[in-house]
Amino acid sequence: MRAIRVASAALLGACALALATPAAYASSESRGFRVSVLPETVAPGGQVTLHATGCDKDVFVSSSVFDDVTIRQGRSRAVAHVDWDARPGRLYEVTFRCGTFWQTAGLTIAGGRPVDPTPVPVQPSGGAHAGAGGSLAGFDLKEIVLGAALVAGSVGTAYRFSRRRTDEESG
């Protein structure tokens, strides 16, 4: 009989832990974050349009060939002006950051002879984004406190029920 109560308490604790998972993992930013640079080839001093979809935050875009750009939340694109001193034939990496997730795209500067004729894959990049990697980045303080309160409450309740039943049986 005691084994059933202990198993019930353990199941209650496991359910509370599962429900305490922050909503950040379920957000759309980790799934479907897509980026592109159009056109993919541009002359020095030219203009490119930076596209990012699937992020519910501001997207920060950086590259060594133009100034940093922010695609504001609710928008999917922004414009960047390529530096006049960009080297023709060179492939530059453009990095898009959405919270703790990032993607890269390539931008080739027109003219001149290609520096490296070998095609460089630009998708996928950075490997699988399987989570925050143990960091607290992207988690709201309210979510952390709420999760900790749920876990503490469920563990405390399970302990109380298991102790109360033991006290009733022994008395």
Side-chain angles (χ1 to χ4, degrees):
M1 193 69 157
R2 178 167 166 74
I4 292 173
R5 286 191 297 267
V6 171
S8 296
L11 184 60
L12 177 66
C15 288
L17 284 174
L19 293 174
T21 302
Y25 284 116
S27 73
S28 62
E29 88 178 30
S30 63
R31 293 175 278 131
F33 180 45
R34 306 271 186 246
V35 300
S36 65
V37 177
L38 295 174
E40 293 178 357
T41 303
V42 66
Q47 176 178 303
V48 293
T49 303
L50 309 167
H51 294 270
T53 58
C55 182
D56 57 358
K57 300 177 181 179
D58 287 350
V59 176
F60 301 99
V61 187
S62 61
S63 179
S64 60
V65 73
F66 56 77
D67 293 334
D68 292 351
V69 175
T70 301
I71 302 174
R72 295 289 174 202
Q73 179 180 2
R75 299 193 177 254
S76 61
R77 70 186 87 191
V79 174
H81 297 279
V82 176
D83 296 337
W84 282 101
D85 61 349
R87 294 181 38 204
R90 183 163 175 203
L91 175 67
Y92 289 90
E93 184 175 86
V94 181
T95 304
F96 295 76
R97 295 191 190 286
C98 171
T100 59
F101 301 97
W102 54 271
Q103 292 282 332
T104 60
L107 175 61
T108 303
I109 305 303
R113 194 169 56 84
V115 175
D116 183 6
T118 308
V120 178
V122 292
Q123 291 287 353
S125 63
H129 298 289
S135 71
L136 296 177
F139 293 110
D140 190 312
L141 182 59
K142 287 185 249 180
E143 292 174 339
I144 294 171
V145 170
L146 180 62
L150 284 171
V151 170
S154 65
V155 169
T157 302
Y159 177 77
R160 173 114 171 120
F161 280 132
S162 69
R163 297 301 302 162
R164 186 173 62 171
R165 298 286 181 152
T166 304
D167 292 343
E168 289 175 1
E169 291 174 0
S170 63

